[in-house]
Structures are given as structure tokens and as C-alpha cells.
Amino acid sequence: MRCYCNGASVAACYDAFVPRRSRLKLSLIVVFLLIVIGGSVAYLTWRQSVPGVQVTGAPKRAIGSRMPVTLVVEAARGNVSRAEVRVVQGEAVTVVGRYEGRPTSRVEVVATLTPDGGIREGAGTLEVWAADDFWRPFGRAQRAAASFPIAVDFTPPRLEVVAATPYVAPGGAGLVVLRAGDATRAETRVATLSFPTFAFGSGGLRVGLFALPHDFTRGSALTVNAQDEAGNTATRGVGIEVLPRRFRRDTIEVTDALLQVKVAELLPQHPPGRALVEGFLTINRDQRRQAEEEKRRLAAKTADRPLWDGAFVQPKNTKVFSNFAETRTYRYQGRDIDTQIHFGYDLASTKQAPVPAANNGAVVFAGPLTIYGNTIIIDHGLGLMTLYGHLSGIRVKVGDHVSRGQEIGRTGTTGLATGDHLHYEVLIQGVSVTPLEWWDGKWVRDRIEGPLASAGGRVPAKPR
């Protein structure tokens, strides 16, 4: 069909033969198709661009058979459907961990390397292969989600006990000298307690103090353990003789006058309508436990070298009237209400008597400490500390370096004290030991400096 528009334009001719409503419908269809096609392309592009699984928890460079590696695999969208950890050494590929459970957004894969699994010592690569169940129009190329260079090491560190304190009694202290090869950490284990060692001198030597707690039983394990960077461990027994030691018992009468003063001082939040003896038990049990926990926590602040020099000093003209590791039974109105262990010595002379630092060291605590009242704790290095409690006044602050004999405070009655005195403790990594040994110059020379001398070392004097 021909169109004769008398010289009119094509648009005018189109307008003449196509109704306006049809033109509108056609435009809407075109726009709709463009939206659908564009939206579909954008949606498919987005799904394709969603990243695959992510891996976190990079392992240490050196890995041994006692160091399981935990890797976290997470899906950006959807769920992790499978995950596998492989060790690649040249052409050899060994699967060391796998997750094949229910698909979930986050999984932990624990990989363990063992020499009997075909893995050899030396360099290698730890690869994580994983997939999610999120649909993508073109899938994804099969490749490792993460890879880490590693060094496989199954050889335990060489460990030798060079010297040790030969005789130790419950409530006493000792020292070990080790040679621990390439170990990154070495410790003395006394039953369930752990005492660290510290690098000392040359030749790979390490030294550490340890304590036998007051309730140590003969036959309990006493060992040294070393661990290298790869987690390999070595253990040796320590050949010491455990001497017998007995501790005293005592009974403390709890009076109403004591309750009225000490509950108000140490437990001001005690409800007025409740019996004061209940507040006393809270103080004697809970606050005592809190103090023990604080002593253990402060042990982490110890210097990695000896700061003390020779024997420790006892305050002049003081009398011991309560002993170390004494079992105390507390009695109220003729009835036994509690039993606790008294750590340290109670020393008395005159009211508000000067309190000297027992040896050179650094102040790591100065302030109220529950049942001990105003307290000072001095670090002497290698985990050795002394505690001074019930003080009326404190003359030092945390961070101060003090010398043996220097006045650090005055005796008093703060805390759970019934009269003016000094509560004095010696601690090894927060474990209380008898002060008698450290007051004895011969004991310090024979039991502490002796093992060091046999290993070619010595305890240096306080650094200038």
C-alpha cells in the first residue's frame, strides 16, 4: 500500500494512519521489555558477582602434631556446603580436615597434621577448598579458597634438667635450671600448678622458681615441660627429694565487737537486718578467695630476671605470733563456723612500726586488698614476690623500685586484723611459701644460688 501525504513528513504521515492510543501501548511495551531485560541482566550479574566462601583463622607458620589448626569458613550468601583442608608438599596432597555436615552459613574445620598421615617435615602449603550452595548462572572455577605457607615440624624440643634444688618440703620453694633447645616456652609443673621459666645467660639456659603448696602430697608429679613454636612438647621428671613438714592448727574466737567493726569496714553493703556473722563469713570466704585470685593475677607482672640480692630481711624486733599455713578454725558463741588456711606470718612489735622492704624489687600493688587491708606487694623477679598487709600507711606507689630495708609503710589494723601487726607473705607465682627459708642466707645460697652456680650462672644483684 502506498501512502500519499501530499509532501507531508513521515512522522505526520504516521500520525495520520496510527492512532494515538496504539502508539502509547507500543511505547509502554518497549519500556517494559527494557526494564525486564535490564533487571534480569543486573540480577544475574549480581548473583554471579557474589563472592565465594571466606576463610579466617590463619595458622601459625610452624605446625606440629600437637597443634590442631582451626579454620573458619563462612559463606557470603547461602550456606557452606562442604569444606576440606589439604597439605600440599610438592606433588603430594594430604587431606587433614573435612566438613561434610549439614549446610550452614559458618563452619569450623579442625585440621590435624600427623607423621603417620603421609606428611613429612619441611615446607608445604595449607590449602582450604570449600563451596557454598548459592546459585550463580555460570558457576565458579574450582580453586582453593585460601592457602597458607607452613613449615611442618614433628620433632620435640631437646630438654635437659641441668640443675635443681635437691630438697624441698611442702610450703617450700625451689629452683630449676633447664636447657630447652628451640623451645619457645618451658615450665615446671607441680601437680596441677604451672611455674614459668625465663631465659638466663647464654647457651640456651632457662631458670625458674617453683613452689610446693602447703598441701602437696608425696607422689604427686613434679616435671618440667617445654614447647616449641610448632606445639611439640617434651617432658622430663625433676629428681628432688620431698621432705616432710607439718603445720600448726589454731582456733580464733569471733566476738561481737570484732563483727561490728570489721563487717562495717570490709562489707559496708551488708544489709542492716541480717546477722553480722553472715557478713563475716562472706568476708572470710569470698573476699579471701578474691585476694588469692589477685595474687595469682599479679604474678604475670614479674620481671624476667632476678631483682633480689641475697637473704631477705625480717622487720627488726618483731615477734612471730601466727605461723605459715596454719589451719584456723573460727568459733562464734561456742560453735565452729569456718575453717581457713593462714598464709604467711603475722609479725608484731609496736603500734605503727616501720615496715621495711624485704629485698630489692619493684612495687606491683599498693592499696586495699580485701581481708589484707592496706597492702603492698613487691616483685623480686622470676615470679618471686613479697606481700605486706594490714598497713596503717603506705609510703610507696606502683612502679617504684625499692631497696632492701627501705621503709615502705607502717603496721596497722586494716583488713581482717584483730590487733596492730604486719601480715607478711612470700609468694612464688602467687603461691604462698614459708618466709623462713628466704630469711635464711645459707638456704638462699645452697638451695637457690647453688643450682645456678652449678649451671655456670648466678643471681645478679639489683641492676644499677
Side-chain angles (χ1 to χ4, degrees):
M1 180 180 70
R2 296 182 179 179
C3 179
Y4 301 95
C5 297
N6 298 322
S9 65
V10 175
C13 181
Y14 177 81
D15 289 341
F17 285 89
V18 180
R20 183 180 298 274
R21 181 175 294 177
S22 297
R23 295 199 306 272
L24 179 59
K25 288 182 178 180
L26 183 60
S27 298
L28 291 174
I29 291 172
V30 171
V31 171
F32 175 74
L33 290 175
L34 290 174
I35 292 174
V36 171
I37 294 171
S40 299
V41 171
Y43 174 70
L44 294 174
T45 302
W46 169 76
R47 290 197 74 98
Q48 188 66 34
S49 66
V50 169
V53 295
Q54 304 295 315
V55 179
T56 56
K60 292 184 178 180
R61 172 77 180 184
I63 302 177
S65 59
R66 291 180 177 268
M67 184 181 288
V69 178
T70 300
L71 299 163
V72 178
V73 182
E74 296 182 271
R77 295 277 178 172
N79 295 307
V80 178
S81 56
R82 61 180 177 83
E84 189 174 89
V85 181
R86 308 172 182 175
V87 172
V88 180
Q89 293 178 304
E91 299 297 322
V93 179
T94 306
V95 176
V96 295
R98 181 182 284 117
Y99 178 81
E100 295 177 322
R102 181 177 60 84
T104 182
S105 62
R106 180 183 184 276
V107 302
E108 290 187 358
V109 185
V110 179
T112 304
L113 284 61
T114 57
D116 56 358
I119 301 172
R120 66 180 186 275
E121 289 191 315
T125 302
L126 194 73
E127 295 183 347
V128 183
W129 291 70
D132 59 31
D133 59 6
F134 186 77
W135 180 79
R136 297 174 181 83
F138 303 108
R140 295 182 67 87
Q142 292 294 312
R143 60 184 178 84
S147 62
F148 309 96
I150 60 171
V152 180
D153 179 7
F154 296 137
T155 304
R158 297 178 60 183
L159 177 60
E160 176 190 359
V161 179
V162 178
T165 301
Y167 310 103
V168 185
L175 181 138
V176 294
V177 182
L178 310 176
R179 186 170 285 110
D182 61 351
T184 56
R185 182 173 63 88
E187 63 185 11
T188 305
R189 299 281 299 181
V190 179
T192 60
L193 298 176
S194 174
F195 300 90
T197 64
F198 304 85
F200 183 81
S202 59
L205 289 178
R206 301 181 68 88
V207 301
L209 294 168
F210 66 89
L212 295 192
H214 75 282
D215 55 357
F216 180 84
T217 57
R218 297 177 71 124
S220 298
L222 180 59
T223 62
V224 290
N225 302 332
Q227 184 178 76
D228 63 18
E229 184 183 3
N232 301 302
T233 61
T235 301
R236 302 285 183 273
V238 181
I240 68 169
E241 181 178 348
V242 178
L243 302 176
R245 178 178 281 162
R246 297 174 66 101
F247 301 104
R248 298 184 181 183
R249 307 184 68 88
D250 193 15
T251 299
I252 304 294
E253 294 292 340
V254 179
T255 65
D256 288 325
L258 174 69
L259 294 177
Q260 291 171 5
V261 173
K262 292 305 175 181
V263 173
E265 174 188 341
L266 297 172
L267 197 67
Q269 69 273 27
H270 184 69
R274 298 186 64 177
L276 291 177
V277 71
E278 294 181 19
F280 172 82
L281 292 176
T282 298
I283 295 167
N284 207 36
R285 296 170 181 172
D286 297 348
Q287 292 193 9
R288 188 181 297 274
R289 183 177 63 253
Q290 292 167 16
E292 292 302 308
E293 291 170 354
E294 180 67 6
K295 288 189 282 185
R296 301 288 178 92
R297 188 187 67 81
L298 288 169
K301 297 185 176 183
T302 191
D304 62 359
R305 66 189 187 281
L307 303 180
W308 77 88
D309 182 14
F312 285 51
V313 297
Q314 177 180 349
K316 293 180 179 179
N317 303 318
T318 56
K319 178 182 179 181
V320 176
F321 70 92
S322 190
N323 292 276
F324 167 77
E326 187 176 82
T327 299
R328 286 179 167 180
T329 299
Y330 294 84
R331 183 172 296 167
Y332 176 66
Q333 294 183 347
R335 179 171 59 92
D336 294 346
I337 59 173
D338 201 10
T339 300
Q340 298 291 338
I341 303 298
H342 177 261
F343 295 115
Y345 273 177
D346 285 345
L347 306 172
S349 57
T350 58
K351 289 186 177 181
Q352 297 192 2
V355 175
N359 214 312
N360 308 330
V363 178
V364 294
F365 186 91
L369 183 60
T370 68
I371 63 166
Y372 295 110
N374 294 332
T375 302
I376 297 170
I377 299 178
I378 298 175
D379 173 43
H380 305 285
L382 301 186
L384 175 62
M385 296 184 178
T386 48
L387 179 149
Y388 311 78
H390 303 320
L391 304 177
S392 60
I394 294 176
R395 305 285 191 267
V396 293
K397 63 183 183 301
V398 172
D400 284 353
H401 288 267
V402 297
S403 301
R404 180 174 53 192
Q406 175 184 334
E407 182 179 330
I408 58 175
R410 295 275 174 150
T411 63
T413 59
T414 59
L416 200 57
T418 57
D420 188 296
H421 69 278
L422 170 67
H423 176 84
Y424 174 76
E425 288 187 33
V426 178
L427 308 163
I428 307 291
Q429 289 296 320
V431 179
S432 188
V433 296
T434 177
L436 275 180
E437 296 175 342
W438 295 90
W439 285 336
D440 184 347
K442 185 177 187 304
W443 180 90
V444 172
R445 289 191 301 271
D446 294 346
R447 307 291 177 87
I448 303 299
E449 296 176 356
L452 284 174
S454 67
R458 67 180 185 85
V459 176
K462 177 184 174 184
R464 298 288 186 251

